[in-house]
Amino acid sequence: MIPSKPPAANDARLEVSWSRVGPAWVRSVEVHPAGVPHGTVVVMPGLGLPRYTRSMVEALAERGLRCVVLDLLAWRRPRLRVPPRIGPMGEATASWVRQAQVAGPVVLLGHSTGAQVALGAALRLQHDRRDLSLVLAGLTFQPEQRSWSGILRAAATAYRKDPPTELVVVGKNVARVRTDLLSIIESGRRDRPEERVRDLQVPLALTAGEADSFAPRVWMDQVAAASGGAADVTVLPGSHNNLFTHPDEVADLVTPLVRS
């Protein structure tokens, strides 16, 4: 693991590192609680865009949890980066957790396409450790949204309760990943989480904002019913990116899972 440049003096709990995971480099951004952590939350952001998760991560740290956001697409050189597809990103996440020897209990929290990545990681890790839980937040893509026209129709309303300030946060990341977005979406729309979840054997929670047209209640209920273990579904305020708009509500949902 290679530390990046040190954080600013007023952000001493933040630690940025690079780790070699197979042939690729993965950037991890950790936020530590003030005291001894009760557990760890590993966060996989949607579309590989980590910046918008910061408020939620800080809210989790305030609740005594160590949080790690995996920036899987930060390394730009070909052959030394994680391919921008759901499968390889899930495999890299599982490998990172193993290599880092993350102390438990551990929650994998994925949002949007990151939820699809988190599901893949959980399926790879569930036989290694019994202290694992999974949160699928704003899970994409339900069957009727697996065409580009379906995705665009959902996107037209999925963010209707998100503030304009979020566009600034997301825009700074989009400029970096560029064409990776199309690769992740193309991979995500070919994924079948409602089928993969049948093999899941760890506690599962699904959540989304009440106005999230990517992850309506009926879709979350379908995935929960298909899962192989215990599953809870919770609708929270906001729309698709409610990790950004309602970080405390999301943190309150996640915290009991880490401590169980």
Side-chain angles (χ1 to χ4, degrees):
M1 183 174 292
I2 303 173
S4 185
K5 64 180 180 180
N10 61 352
D11 205 2
R13 294 184 301 157
L14 181 67
E15 180 181 345
V16 181
S17 302
W18 289 90
S19 303
R20 188 73 177 264
V21 178
W25 285 95
V26 170
R27 180 175 179 261
S28 59
V29 181
E30 300 187 31
V31 178
H32 299 277
V36 177
H38 302 289
T40 300
V41 181
V42 181
V43 180
M44 284 126 278
L47 297 175
L49 307 175
R51 190 183 296 262
Y52 75 97
T53 65
R54 180 66 184 275
S55 296
M56 182 206 63
V57 166
E58 290 178 342
L60 286 167
E62 290 172 359
R63 288 157 175 77
L65 303 172
R66 172 189 177 226
C67 300
V68 184
V69 181
L70 294 186
D71 191 356
L72 297 171
L73 304 180
W75 195 262
R76 300 304 306 172
R77 296 179 184 176
R79 302 181 185 151
L80 290 177
R81 63 192 299 261
V82 177
R85 300 190 302 275
I86 300 299
M89 292 171 75
E91 183 177 356
T93 298
S95 296
W96 184 91
V97 172
R98 289 191 185 104
Q99 289 181 198
Q101 298 181 341
V102 179
V106 174
V107 167
L108 301 178
L109 190 165
H111 175 247
S112 193
T113 55
Q116 294 173 270
V117 172
L119 174 57
L123 290 170
R124 289 176 172 86
L125 290 169
Q126 64 183 358
H127 301 297
D128 295 356
R129 53 191 313 158
R130 300 184 181 275
D131 57 358
L132 188 70
S133 300
L134 174 64
V135 177
L136 303 179
L139 176 65
T140 46
F141 293 102
Q142 57 180 309
E144 55 266 39
Q145 295 172 2
R146 289 173 186 163
S147 65
W148 282 99
S149 60
I151 291 171
L152 291 174
R153 283 194 299 270
T157 56
Y159 306 92
R160 59 188 182 272
K161 292 194 175 184
D162 291 9
T165 52
E166 184 187 2
L167 297 178
V168 177
V169 175
V170 173
K172 292 179 179 179
N173 279 236
V174 169
R176 188 195 71 187
V177 297
R178 300 188 299 275
T179 58
D180 289 347
L181 298 182
L182 295 178
S183 297
I184 296 173
I185 294 172
E186 180 64 25
S187 173
R189 77 183 186 92
R190 296 178 183 277
D191 186 34
R192 301 291 184 269
E194 74 278 11
E195 296 177 5
R196 291 196 294 142
V197 78
R198 294 170 186 166
D199 296 322
L200 189 69
Q201 299 175 12
V202 302
L204 169 65
L206 295 103
T207 186
E210 59 189 350
D212 185 353
S213 50
F214 278 126
R217 178 67 188 250
V218 65
W219 165 235
M220 293 192 290
D221 285 341
Q222 178 185 346
V223 175
S227 68
D232 294 315
V233 177
T234 305
V235 177
L236 295 175
S239 48
H240 188 56
N241 281 343
N242 68 340
L243 272 66
F244 180 85
T245 57
H246 295 81
D248 288 307
E249 287 87 342
V250 177
D252 286 340
L253 171 72
V254 175
T255 300
L257 293 172
V258 181
R259 292 175 178 169
S260 63

PDB file of all heavy atoms in Angstrom, residues 102-125:
ATOM      1  N   VAL A 102      -9.260  -6.431   6.201  1.00  0.00           N
ATOM      2  CA  VAL A 102     -10.141  -5.506   6.904  1.00  0.00           C
ATOM      3  C   VAL A 102     -10.747  -6.194   8.125  1.00  0.00           C
ATOM      4  O   VAL A 102     -11.339  -7.277   8.022  1.00  0.00           O
ATOM      5  CB  VAL A 102     -11.255  -5.010   5.968  1.00  0.00           C
ATOM      6  CG1 VAL A 102     -12.195  -4.069   6.714  1.00  0.00           C
ATOM      7  CG2 VAL A 102     -10.651  -4.300   4.754  1.00  0.00           C
ATOM      8  N   ALA A 103     -10.579  -5.575   9.282  1.00  0.00           N
ATOM      9  CA  ALA A 103     -11.149  -6.127  10.512  1.00  0.00           C
ATOM     10  C   ALA A 103     -12.662  -5.975  10.493  1.00  0.00           C
ATOM     11  O   ALA A 103     -13.199  -4.983   9.992  1.00  0.00           O
ATOM     12  CB  ALA A 103     -10.554  -5.414  11.719  1.00  0.00           C
ATOM     13  N   GLY A 104     -13.341  -6.963  11.047  1.00  0.00           N
ATOM     14  CA  GLY A 104     -14.797  -6.953  11.020  1.00  0.00           C
ATOM     15  C   GLY A 104     -15.415  -6.320  12.252  1.00  0.00           C
ATOM     16  O   GLY A 104     -14.711  -5.986  13.200  1.00  0.00           O
ATOM     17  N   PRO A 105     -16.727  -6.185  12.236  1.00  0.00           N
ATOM     18  CA  PRO A 105     -17.620  -6.523  11.138  1.00  0.00           C
ATOM     19  C   PRO A 105     -17.485  -5.565   9.952  1.00  0.00           C
ATOM     20  O   PRO A 105     -17.018  -4.443  10.110  1.00  0.00           O
ATOM     21  CB  PRO A 105     -19.010  -6.431  11.769  1.00  0.00           C
ATOM     22  CG  PRO A 105     -18.854  -5.471  12.896  1.00  0.00           C
ATOM     23  CD  PRO A 105     -17.458  -5.668  13.420  1.00  0.00           C
ATOM     24  N   VAL A 106     -17.903  -6.043   8.765  1.00  0.00           N
ATOM     25  CA  VAL A 106     -17.757  -5.275   7.531  1.00  0.00           C
ATOM     26  C   VAL A 106     -19.095  -5.198   6.812  1.00  0.00           C
ATOM     27  O   VAL A 106     -19.803  -6.194   6.687  1.00  0.00           O
ATOM     28  CB  VAL A 106     -16.718  -5.922   6.593  1.00  0.00           C
ATOM     29  CG1 VAL A 106     -16.677  -5.210   5.244  1.00  0.00           C
ATOM     30  CG2 VAL A 106     -15.334  -5.906   7.228  1.00  0.00           C
ATOM     31  N   VAL A 107     -19.422  -4.000   6.349  1.00  0.00           N
ATOM     32  CA  VAL A 107     -20.561  -3.807   5.464  1.00  0.00           C
ATOM     33  C   VAL A 107     -20.043  -3.336   4.109  1.00  0.00           C
ATOM     34  O   VAL A 107     -19.247  -2.396   4.032  1.00  0.00           O
ATOM     35  CB  VAL A 107     -21.552  -2.774   6.029  1.00  0.00           C
ATOM     36  CG1 VAL A 107     -22.553  -2.343   4.955  1.00  0.00           C
ATOM     37  CG2 VAL A 107     -22.312  -3.345   7.206  1.00  0.00           C
ATOM     38  N   LEU A 108     -20.459  -4.002   3.051  1.00  0.00           N
ATOM     39  CA  LEU A 108     -20.219  -3.517   1.696  1.00  0.00           C
ATOM     40  C   LEU A 108     -21.423  -2.683   1.297  1.00  0.00           C
ATOM     41  O   LEU A 108     -22.558  -3.172   1.299  1.00  0.00           O
ATOM     42  CB  LEU A 108     -20.055  -4.691   0.724  1.00  0.00           C
ATOM     43  CG  LEU A 108     -18.921  -5.674   1.003  1.00  0.00           C
ATOM     44  CD1 LEU A 108     -18.940  -6.790  -0.037  1.00  0.00           C
ATOM     45  CD2 LEU A 108     -17.573  -4.973   1.010  1.00  0.00           C
ATOM     46  N   LEU A 109     -21.172  -1.421   0.980  1.00  0.00           N
ATOM     47  CA  LEU A 109     -22.258  -0.509   0.624  1.00  0.00           C
ATOM     48  C   LEU A 109     -22.025  -0.023  -0.800  1.00  0.00           C
ATOM     49  O   LEU A 109     -21.054   0.677  -1.074  1.00  0.00           O
ATOM     50  CB  LEU A 109     -22.303   0.675   1.591  1.00  0.00           C
ATOM     51  CG  LEU A 109     -23.515   1.608   1.526  1.00  0.00           C
ATOM     52  CD1 LEU A 109     -23.567   2.484   2.776  1.00  0.00           C
ATOM     53  CD2 LEU A 109     -23.526   2.511   0.300  1.00  0.00           C
ATOM     54  N   GLY A 110     -22.910  -0.417  -1.697  1.00  0.00           N
ATOM     55  CA  GLY A 110     -22.805   0.032  -3.075  1.00  0.00           C
ATOM     56  C   GLY A 110     -23.995   0.881  -3.445  1.00  0.00           C
ATOM     57  O   GLY A 110     -25.130   0.607  -3.030  1.00  0.00           O
ATOM     58  N   HIS A 111     -23.739   1.929  -4.229  1.00  0.00           N
ATOM     59  CA  HIS A 111     -24.825   2.814  -4.658  1.00  0.00           C
ATOM     60  C   HIS A 111     -24.913   2.833  -6.171  1.00  0.00           C
ATOM     61  O   HIS A 111     -23.902   2.929  -6.859  1.00  0.00           O
ATOM     62  CB  HIS A 111     -24.591   4.240  -4.142  1.00  0.00           C
ATOM     63  CG  HIS A 111     -25.605   5.216  -4.654  1.00  0.00           C
ATOM     64  ND1 HIS A 111     -25.282   6.228  -5.528  1.00  0.00           N
ATOM     65  CD2 HIS A 111     -26.950   5.311  -4.445  1.00  0.00           C
ATOM     66  CE1 HIS A 111     -26.371   6.911  -5.822  1.00  0.00           C
ATOM     67  NE2 HIS A 111     -27.386   6.377  -5.182  1.00  0.00           N
ATOM     68  N   SER A 112     -26.130   2.743  -6.694  1.00  0.00           N
ATOM     69  CA  SER A 112     -26.375   2.804  -8.140  1.00  0.00           C
ATOM     70  C   SER A 112     -25.650   1.644  -8.830  1.00  0.00           C
ATOM     71  O   SER A 112     -25.786   0.499  -8.414  1.00  0.00           O
ATOM     72  CB  SER A 112     -25.950   4.176  -8.675  1.00  0.00           C
ATOM     73  OG  SER A 112     -26.427   4.385  -9.981  1.00  0.00           O
ATOM     74  N   THR A 113     -24.855   1.903  -9.857  1.00  0.00           N
ATOM     75  CA  THR A 113     -24.095   0.798 -10.449  1.00  0.00           C
ATOM     76  C   THR A 113     -23.078   0.239  -9.449  1.00  0.00           C
ATOM     77  O   THR A 113     -22.666  -0.913  -9.564  1.00  0.00           O
ATOM     78  CB  THR A 113     -23.363   1.245 -11.718  1.00  0.00           C
ATOM     79  OG1 THR A 113     -22.536   2.371 -11.421  1.00  0.00           O
ATOM     80  CG2 THR A 113     -24.348   1.611 -12.823  1.00  0.00           C
ATOM     81  N   GLY A 114     -22.693   1.051  -8.471  1.00  0.00           N
ATOM     82  CA  GLY A 114     -21.829   0.550  -7.400  1.00  0.00           C
ATOM     83  C   GLY A 114     -22.503  -0.532  -6.577  1.00  0.00           C
ATOM     84  O   GLY A 114     -21.830  -1.382  -5.987  1.00  0.00           O
ATOM     85  N   ALA A 115     -23.852  -0.524  -6.528  1.00  0.00           N
ATOM     86  CA  ALA A 115     -24.569  -1.597  -5.843  1.00  0.00           C
ATOM     87  C   ALA A 115     -24.388  -2.916  -6.589  1.00  0.00           C
ATOM     88  O   ALA A 115     -24.238  -3.981  -5.972  1.00  0.00           O
ATOM     89  CB  ALA A 115     -26.054  -1.249  -5.724  1.00  0.00           C
ATOM     90  N   GLN A 116     -24.391  -2.855  -7.910  1.00  0.00           N
ATOM     91  CA  GLN A 116     -24.138  -4.062  -8.697  1.00  0.00           C
ATOM     92  C   GLN A 116     -22.715  -4.572  -8.459  1.00  0.00           C
ATOM     93  O   GLN A 116     -22.479  -5.780  -8.374  1.00  0.00           O
ATOM     94  CB  GLN A 116     -24.360  -3.766 -10.177  1.00  0.00           C
ATOM     95  CG  GLN A 116     -25.804  -3.437 -10.524  1.00  0.00           C
ATOM     96  CD  GLN A 116     -25.975  -2.984 -11.962  1.00  0.00           C
ATOM     97  OE1 GLN A 116     -25.891  -1.792 -12.250  1.00  0.00           O
ATOM     98  NE2 GLN A 116     -26.221  -3.914 -12.862  1.00  0.00           N
ATOM     99  N   VAL A 117     -21.777  -3.643  -8.327  1.00  0.00           N
ATOM    100  CA  VAL A 117     -20.389  -4.008  -8.009  1.00  0.00           C
ATOM    101  C   VAL A 117     -20.316  -4.640  -6.623  1.00  0.00           C
ATOM    102  O   VAL A 117     -19.664  -5.676  -6.416  1.00  0.00           O
ATOM    103  CB  VAL A 117     -19.485  -2.761  -8.086  1.00  0.00           C
ATOM    104  CG1 VAL A 117     -18.087  -3.075  -7.561  1.00  0.00           C
ATOM    105  CG2 VAL A 117     -19.415  -2.234  -9.512  1.00  0.00           C
ATOM    106  N   ALA A 118     -20.992  -4.035  -5.652  1.00  0.00           N
ATOM    107  CA  ALA A 118     -20.961  -4.544  -4.280  1.00  0.00           C
ATOM    108  C   ALA A 118     -21.548  -5.941  -4.189  1.00  0.00           C
ATOM    109  O   ALA A 118     -21.057  -6.785  -3.420  1.00  0.00           O
ATOM    110  CB  ALA A 118     -21.718  -3.592  -3.360  1.00  0.00           C
ATOM    111  N   LEU A 119     -22.605  -6.220  -4.947  1.00  0.00           N
ATOM    112  CA  LEU A 119     -23.193  -7.551  -4.955  1.00  0.00           C
ATOM    113  C   LEU A 119     -22.177  -8.582  -5.433  1.00  0.00           C
ATOM    114  O   LEU A 119     -22.023  -9.654  -4.837  1.00  0.00           O
ATOM    115  CB  LEU A 119     -24.438  -7.572  -5.836  1.00  0.00           C
ATOM    116  CG  LEU A 119     -25.099  -8.933  -6.058  1.00  0.00           C
ATOM    117  CD1 LEU A 119     -25.490  -9.593  -4.735  1.00  0.00           C
ATOM    118  CD2 LEU A 119     -26.323  -8.782  -6.965  1.00  0.00           C
ATOM    119  N   GLY A 120     -21.456  -8.253  -6.499  1.00  0.00           N
ATOM    120  CA  GLY A 120     -20.426  -9.165  -6.980  1.00  0.00           C
ATOM    121  C   GLY A 120     -19.337  -9.403  -5.960  1.00  0.00           C
ATOM    122  O   GLY A 120     -18.858 -10.537  -5.787  1.00  0.00           O
ATOM    123  N   ALA A 121     -18.939  -8.342  -5.254  1.00  0.00           N
ATOM    124  CA  ALA A 121     -17.911  -8.494  -4.225  1.00  0.00           C
ATOM    125  C   ALA A 121     -18.409  -9.359  -3.075  1.00  0.00           C
ATOM    126  O   ALA A 121     -17.680 -10.217  -2.556  1.00  0.00           O
ATOM    127  CB  ALA A 121     -17.490  -7.116  -3.716  1.00  0.00           C
ATOM    128  N   ALA A 122     -19.664  -9.153  -2.655  1.00  0.00           N
ATOM    129  CA  ALA A 122     -20.208  -9.929  -1.546  1.00  0.00           C
ATOM    130  C   ALA A 122     -20.288 -11.411  -1.888  1.00  0.00           C
ATOM    131  O   ALA A 122     -20.005 -12.275  -1.045  1.00  0.00           O
ATOM    132  CB  ALA A 122     -21.590  -9.400  -1.175  1.00  0.00           C
ATOM    133  N   LEU A 123     -20.667 -11.722  -3.115  1.00  0.00           N
ATOM    134  CA  LEU A 123     -20.750 -13.129  -3.519  1.00  0.00           C
ATOM    135  C   LEU A 123     -19.378 -13.800  -3.482  1.00  0.00           C
ATOM    136  O   LEU A 123     -19.283 -15.002  -3.204  1.00  0.00           O
ATOM    137  CB  LEU A 123     -21.351 -13.224  -4.923  1.00  0.00           C
ATOM    138  CG  LEU A 123     -22.844 -12.878  -5.025  1.00  0.00           C
ATOM    139  CD1 LEU A 123     -23.270 -12.756  -6.486  1.00  0.00           C
ATOM    140  CD2 LEU A 123     -23.695 -13.915  -4.307  1.00  0.00           C
ATOM    141  N   ARG A 124     -18.327 -13.029  -3.730  1.00  0.00           N
ATOM    142  CA  ARG A 124     -16.970 -13.588  -3.688  1.00  0.00           C
ATOM    143  C   ARG A 124     -16.438 -13.695  -2.265  1.00  0.00           C
ATOM    144  O   ARG A 124     -15.605 -14.553  -1.980  1.00  0.00           O
ATOM    145  CB  ARG A 124     -16.035 -12.725  -4.534  1.00  0.00           C
ATOM    146  CG  ARG A 124     -16.269 -12.851  -6.033  1.00  0.00           C
ATOM    147  CD  ARG A 124     -15.369 -11.894  -6.811  1.00  0.00           C
ATOM    148  NE  ARG A 124     -15.446 -12.138  -8.243  1.00  0.00           N
ATOM    149  CZ  ARG A 124     -16.350 -11.627  -9.054  1.00  0.00           C
ATOM    150  NH1 ARG A 124     -17.284 -10.816  -8.565  1.00  0.00           N
ATOM    151  NH2 ARG A 124     -16.344 -11.914 -10.347  1.00  0.00           N
ATOM    152  N   LEU A 125     -16.905 -12.829  -1.371  1.00  0.00           N
ATOM    153  CA  LEU A 125     -16.355 -12.766  -0.014  1.00  0.00           C
ATOM    154  C   LEU A 125     -17.157 -13.560   1.008  1.00  0.00           C
ATOM    155  O   LEU A 125     -16.650 -13.847   2.098  1.00  0.00           O
ATOM    156  CB  LEU A 125     -16.289 -11.313   0.451  1.00  0.00           C
ATOM    157  CG  LEU A 125     -15.258 -10.406  -0.224  1.00  0.00           C
ATOM    158  CD1 LEU A 125     -15.503  -8.952   0.164  1.00  0.00           C
ATOM    159  CD2 LEU A 125     -13.847 -10.828   0.173  1.00  0.00           C
TER     160      LEU A 125
END
